[in-house]
Amino acid sequence: MLTATGSAITPQPHQAVARIANIDAVRGLAVLGIFFLNIFSMGISSYEYVPTVTATVGDSFGQALYYLLLRDRFITLFSILFGAGLYIQWQNFSAQGLDARAKVKSRLYWLMLFGLLHGLLLWPGDILLSYGLCGLLLWRYRQLPVAELLRKAQLFIAIGLLVMLLMALIPIEVSPMVRGSPEYMAEYRLWTGDYGVQLQQQLHTVVISLLVFPMTYLWILSGLMLLGIYLLRQGWFNGPVSRVGYLFWGSLLLSLLAYSCSYGHSQLLQNLALVIVVIAAIPMALWFLQLIVRYCGNQPQRLKSLQAVGRVALTLYILQSVVGVSLFRHIAPELLLTMDFMDYLLLAVIWSAIQLALARCYLHFLSKAR
């Protein structure tokens, strides 16, 4: 089993945990990376990226990059961090002699309420409500022995993947959506028109998502959160672990397979691509985690901008929705008709740079105010 070689002490139950610079930096990477996935549905939230009839060079290159390095990687990483953070909250509340169960559950309920409002009023792709539900589920497993914790995480992820696989095998033929088609233009008018109509559509999307969530992503997300607790207790956030290069190459091979399937002529192959890419995201997320941990070295002075983003992750996550929805639905909706895949990714890069600067400035002025 991989073990940490860093000097930090692995957290023990009821032992207070000081702020971990590595976790802040990894969380910063995760929240920035999530926007690279969400940006495609910030305008027309019924779909992700909708291609033109004839694919551009930007489409071809961007989608390859998306499948190999981006898709599901950062939501996976963020889920792992959420589980680790939940465990740290429990430890710190317990070390202070507080009712940790009541405190953590109260935070989860507030998170769920915040997520519900976010999904209904702003952007229906919200993850906060889902995370709150998963947090309530995994709370009972937080004190399992590490070996049992890993088995439980693997079981939950396996259940989720099995459900996805069974759904992928359902023979439903879906006509591909292309930009400029009558169907696309109807969606374009819906999502860039009257806000009241958008609210109705967002309510419908959130309700449907809640109904299917227990049968799908509940298990995968909960498993990833349990994996996060396991990794925290095994020292993965403290320092480098040995032999992690295979995670990158294994993920890359799976991603190549998923990318090939995504261009298959049958709906079955395209559905299987979505399952494979979820599997591929897990080792890549772990590799990203260790890459940041190795470079940060748990030093507050390293990767300061990324750490700053990690410290205000919730604020920036909501701000991403505000900016994306405002841009694509209200300020410049015509971009939905002209941007190719690489345009979206370049826009995400620009907004990531702005977020890095905003986080540093916010924390700087906050510290001065104190």
Side-chain angles (χ1 to χ4, degrees), residues 19 38 64 101 138 156 253 281 308 356-358:
R19 190 159 206 110
N38 293 343
R101 178 178 179 276
L138 65 87
F156 278 20
L253 288 174
L356 288 166
L358 285 175

Side-chain angles (χ1 to χ4, degrees), residues 106-120:
S106 176
R107 289 192 172 195
L108 290 173
Y109 291 137
W110 278 109
L111 185 69
M112 291 165 62
L113 175 61
F114 209 62
L116 182 62
L117 294 175
H118 176 223
L120 291 176

Side-chain angles (χ1 to χ4, degrees), residues 185-330:
M185 295 309 298
E187 291 291 328
Y188 173 79
R189 288 188 290 271
L190 185 155
W191 288 104
T192 60
D194 182 71
Y195 179 62
V197 176
Q198 292 179 31
L199 283 179
Q200 295 177 22
Q201 189 66 24
Q202 287 171 181
L203 173 62
H204 177 264
T205 303
V206 170
V207 170
I208 294 298
S209 298
L210 283 175
L211 290 176
V212 302
F213 181 68
M215 298 178 288
T216 54
Y217 283 102
L218 172 69
W219 299 103
I220 292 177
L221 293 179
S222 297
L224 292 171
M225 292 175 188
L226 288 172
L227 179 61
I229 298 175
Y230 168 81
L231 295 174
L232 178 74
R233 291 170 60 179
Q234 289 295 93
W236 270 59
F237 293 97
N238 296 338
V241 301
S242 59
R243 300 186 303 277
V244 295
Y246 71 91
L247 294 171
F248 176 83
W249 296 112
S251 175
L252 198 61
L253 288 174
L254 285 171
S255 300
L256 285 170
L257 176 60
Y259 181 63
S260 299
C261 290
S262 71
Y263 279 93
H265 295 295
S266 72
Q267 188 64 43
L268 174 60
L269 284 176
Q270 296 173 22
N271 291 342
L272 287 176
L274 300 178
V275 180
I276 297 170
V277 82
V278 170
I279 300 172
I282 298 174
M284 183 69 78
L286 296 178
W287 184 80
F288 278 143
L289 186 159
Q290 272 294 296
L291 185 67
I292 296 297
V293 166
R294 286 170 183 268
Y295 191 79
C296 183
N298 218 26
Q299 300 298 315
Q301 299 305 313
R302 293 185 181 178
L303 300 177
K304 288 182 66 174
S305 294
L306 210 54
Q307 289 187 49
V309 171
R311 292 176 65 180
V312 291
L314 178 59
T315 300
L316 290 179
Y317 172 71
I318 299 297
L319 186 60
Q320 288 174 359
S321 297
V322 172
V323 170
V325 169
S326 298
L327 176 65
F328 291 120
R329 296 188 192 173
H330 306 292

